[in-house]
Amino acid sequence: MSKSVHPADKQTIWITGASSGIGAALVRMLAGEGHFVIISGRNRDALLELQKPAPKLVKVLPCDVGDDASMAEAGALLRDITDQLDLVIACAGTCEYDDDLSLDIASYRRVFDSNFFGVVNTLRVALPLLNNVRAPVFVALGSLSSVVGFPRAEAYGASKAALQYFMDALRADTSNVALRSVLVRPGFIDTPLTRENDFEMPFLMAPDEAARRILSGIRRGKSVIDFPRRMSWPLRLLGFLRPVWFAVCAPRMTRIKKLRRG
């Protein structure tokens, strides 16, 4: 397979979780700017639809970031497509709530496979190609849920907290090399995933607005991109005032009134 060629002043970008939500919005914006964008996700049909407006600039690479075999195959195909990556944005993710502390291990593993190990898999595959450019950037989509412990979010929040630590450690380990790591922590975004939520989502944001904020933060050289501020700042304050969160906020939010008996 011949490798794609594009203008020297444009970037080669790989986006996972590109079939919907923030990932799809980023694809539309970046391809609209003339960048060459490789898009990945599990929904091939959605990816092909996203490719239609710019078939020469958008390359479809279906894969499951949480599946090691799928990512090994994707890595080989990725190297056929390009010799380098300027920017990687790991957007793939999922959410499953633990409504009654059932502690279903299969559910927790699904969430971690996508939200945490999926990012590790993405970086593992992309790193050799990121090393081939002067100023590579690796971006991972976390969540403001990692700031404090939310009821029902034991699996989801823990996966995002693990991701946050991973990105902090990555940033520390790349202090003396060119790779820049960026953690994005959004609030509630209007996506197919959040539309399944059965609770009020304050400051709900459209994917296009979230994508604009992410690209702005990346281009301004930020290492952590939090938004919206009216949600992130109170949560960060409550992160410092944890007794207030657990004494006042959490009891009003939890649905559990008593533990299940064995």
Side-chain angles (χ1 to χ4, degrees), residues 64-109:
D64 180 351
V65 297
D67 183 274
D68 294 348
S70 175
M71 288 301 283
E73 182 179 354
L77 294 173
L78 186 65
R79 291 188 294 274
D80 284 337
I81 296 169
T82 183
D83 292 319
Q84 65 180 54
L85 288 169
D86 299 281
L87 171 64
V88 175
I89 308 179
C91 289
T94 191
C95 180
E96 296 185 32
Y97 293 113
D98 194 345
D99 290 326
D100 56 0
L101 282 182
S102 62
L103 302 175
D104 177 23
I105 295 299
S107 171
Y108 279 64
R109 284 188 174 136

Side-chain angles (χ1 to χ4, degrees), residues 21-33:
I22 295 176
L26 286 166
V27 172
R28 289 190 292 267
M29 290 182 184
L30 290 165
E33 294 174 356

Side-chain angles (χ1 to χ4, degrees), residues 144-150 157-158 161 164 185 234-251 253:
L144 285 173
S145 67
S146 64
V147 179
V148 293
F150 281 90
Q164 180 170 314
R185 298 192 303 183
L235 285 177
R236 288 164 70 177
L237 177 60
L238 287 166
F240 287 109
L241 303 174
R242 297 175 72 80
V244 175
W245 173 259
F246 289 109
V248 178
C249 302
M253 298 170 68

Side-chain angles (χ1 to χ4, degrees), residues 12-31 35-42 47 50 58-63 65 78 85 87-92 122 126 139 141 211 214-215 218:
T12 301
I13 300 165
W14 183 28
I15 300 177
T16 67
S19 57
S20 64
I22 295 176
L26 286 166
V27 172
R28 289 190 292 267
M29 290 182 184
L30 290 165
H35 300 289
F36 180 67
V37 188
I38 303 161
I39 61 174
S40 292
R42 291 179 295 180
L47 295 175
L50 191 59
V58 178
K59 182 72 174 180
V60 172
L61 178 60
C63 63
V65 297
L78 186 65
L85 288 169
L87 171 64
V88 175
I89 308 179
C91 289
T122 301
V139 182
L141 196 66
I214 291 169
L215 293 179
I218 293 170

Side-chain angles (χ1 to χ4, degrees), residues 30-254:
L30 290 165
E33 294 174 356
H35 300 289
F36 180 67
V37 188
I38 303 161
I39 61 174
S40 292
R42 291 179 295 180
N43 189 333
R44 178 187 289 270
D45 290 341
L47 295 175
L48 290 172
E49 192 66 28
L50 191 59
Q51 182 192 39
K52 285 182 179 179
K56 293 183 179 180
L57 291 175
V58 178
K59 182 72 174 180
V60 172
L61 178 60
C63 63
D64 180 351
V65 297
D67 183 274
D68 294 348
S70 175
M71 288 301 283
E73 182 179 354
L77 294 173
L78 186 65
R79 291 188 294 274
D80 284 337
I81 296 169
T82 183
D83 292 319
Q84 65 180 54
L85 288 169
D86 299 281
L87 171 64
V88 175
I89 308 179
C91 289
T94 191
C95 180
E96 296 185 32
Y97 293 113
D98 194 345
D99 290 326
D100 56 0
L101 282 182
S102 62
L103 302 175
D104 177 23
I105 295 299
S107 171
Y108 279 64
R109 284 188 174 136
R110 283 192 300 270
V111 172
F112 266 79
D113 280 346
S114 180
N115 296 356
F116 178 71
F117 291 110
V119 175
V120 178
N121 257 339
T122 301
L123 178 59
R124 179 177 57 83
V125 168
L127 196 54
L129 300 179
L130 286 165
N131 284 336
N132 290 339
V133 298
R134 180 173 297 178
V137 181
F138 180 77
V139 182
L141 196 66
S143 169
L144 285 173
S145 67
S146 64
V147 179
V148 293
F150 281 90
R152 305 171 67 208
E154 285 85 355
Y156 178 78
S159 70
K160 295 299 187 179
L163 174 60
Q164 180 170 314
Y165 190 94
F166 174 78
M167 292 300 289
D168 281 348
L170 176 65
R171 183 180 173 189
D173 259 335
T174 55
S175 299
N176 296 321
V177 297
L179 180 65
R180 179 162 68 93
S181 59
V182 180
L183 175 66
V184 179
R185 298 192 303 183
F188 293 110
I189 310 300
D190 185 13
T191 68
L193 196 62
T194 59
R195 286 175 205 142
E196 297 179 5
N197 288 343
D198 58 356
F199 54 84
E200 183 180 354
M201 294 177 285
F203 315 121
L204 185 67
M205 183 178 292
D208 284 353
E209 177 59 25
R212 279 192 290 270
R213 296 193 185 202
I214 291 169
L215 293 179
S216 174
I218 293 170
R219 289 164 180 171
R220 285 186 289 140
K222 298 186 71 173
S223 296
V224 178
I225 303 171
D226 287 351
F227 59 85
R229 287 186 178 181
R230 51 188 172 167
M231 185 174 185
S232 66
W233 286 19
L235 285 177
R236 288 164 70 177
L237 177 60
L238 287 166
F240 287 109
L241 303 174
R242 297 175 72 80
V244 175
W245 173 259
F246 289 109
V248 178
C249 302
R252 298 177 180 177
M253 298 170 68
T254 182

